[in-house]
Amino acid sequence: MRVATIKAGSLVLLAMSSIPLAGALQAQQPSYDPIIVDGALPDASTMVKGPEVKGTIVARNGEKIRVRTADGSSTDIAITDDTKVKTSSGLFGGRSKLGNEALLNGLPVTVKTLQWEGGLVASQVSFRKGDFRTANMIRNGTEQQFAEQTAATEALRGRMGDIDKYNIKGTTNVYFDTGRWQLSSKAKSDLCATASQAEATDNALMLVVGYTDSVGSEEYNQTLSEKRANSVINYLQQQCRWKPYRMLTPTGMAESDPAASNDTEEGKAQNRRVSVNILVSKSVDGL
């Protein structure tokens, strides 16, 4: 039996909205469920063809990767020595030649799979050369700037540690269709404009809070509000270049704190939102 585990991180959710905020704020930390490989893989010739999985690698450990698709679901896929790793401009070959370092977190991939009773095995993982270059640059940049970013994070925490009052420098709301968490073109434009505004604000942090209308169960709406918040977080960091260490832990508030009445369709549309708050501690505002 082979067992590979990534320990789940700790994610502290902040029950906050865009009104004046109180309580300790925790810098965002990634959180993944454990990846487990259980049992010996059978010979590839005995397996049947599985589904093609398109998405982004969000976790990698030993002989398994986790791919998150556009609908927010995650799939764990085993990698073997027979797995072919391919870019748009050529074939690298099996893992014995390239190694796991090609399968980077944040890399968009298309995975052809084989299926057995223990799950899915990758027969081929392909990605665009440009995407690999970008993911590699992000990884290298993170390694090079780790000490600098850690120092910046600690400085912010030190200056804000026991302070529970903040000035809100701006709030941007982006809106969603019923039951959806995908960003519209307008939402994407508004988010990058907000990131630019925050970048021009000294000592600014961002707090992202997701909401829903009253349609659906409490459990469903909680999950939906979290997915909306996470889609905003991902876009701000990946496309708008907002630094992760200046992002406070996102949270989903389901149908709490409605912006309008849920008795009308117009009101429900206003409640299907994510609020992006630009915050500055009063103790450092103006420094």
Side-chain angles (χ1 to χ4, degrees), residues 53-66:
V53 181
K54 293 184 178 181
T56 301
I57 297 176
V58 295
R60 178 172 56 86
N61 191 46
E63 298 174 334
K64 209 159 193 182
I65 60 173
R66 173 167 295 151

Side-chain angles (χ1 to χ4, degrees), residues 163-208:
I163 301 167
D164 59 2
K165 293 183 179 179
Y166 300 83
N167 288 328
I168 298 177
K169 296 298 185 178
T171 297
T172 299
N173 290 315
V174 295
Y175 299 93
F176 298 82
D177 292 335
T178 300
R180 306 299 293 273
W181 57 90
Q182 290 77 13
L183 296 170
S184 66
S185 297
K186 183 178 186 307
K188 293 176 180 178
S189 176
D190 289 346
L191 289 175
C192 284
T194 301
S196 296
Q197 178 188 349
E199 189 64 41
T201 304
D202 290 340
N203 300 306
L205 302 174
M206 277 192 191
L207 175 65
V208 173

Side-chain angles (χ1 to χ4, degrees), residues 57 60 65 79 83 85 95 98-105 107 109 125 127 132:
I57 297 176
R60 178 172 56 86
I65 60 173
I79 304 297
T83 299
V85 181
R95 208 180 72 182
L98 191 62
N100 277 345
E101 66 271 12
L103 303 178
L104 303 175
N105 286 341
L107 180 65
V109 294
V125 182
F127 47 84
F132 175 75

Side-chain angles (χ1 to χ4, degrees), residues 31-53:
S31 176
Y32 302 115
D33 294 329
I35 289 180
I36 299 176
V37 180
D38 191 3
L41 294 174
D43 185 86
S45 63
T46 66
M47 298 187 226
V48 298
K49 184 177 179 180
E52 183 175 87
V53 181

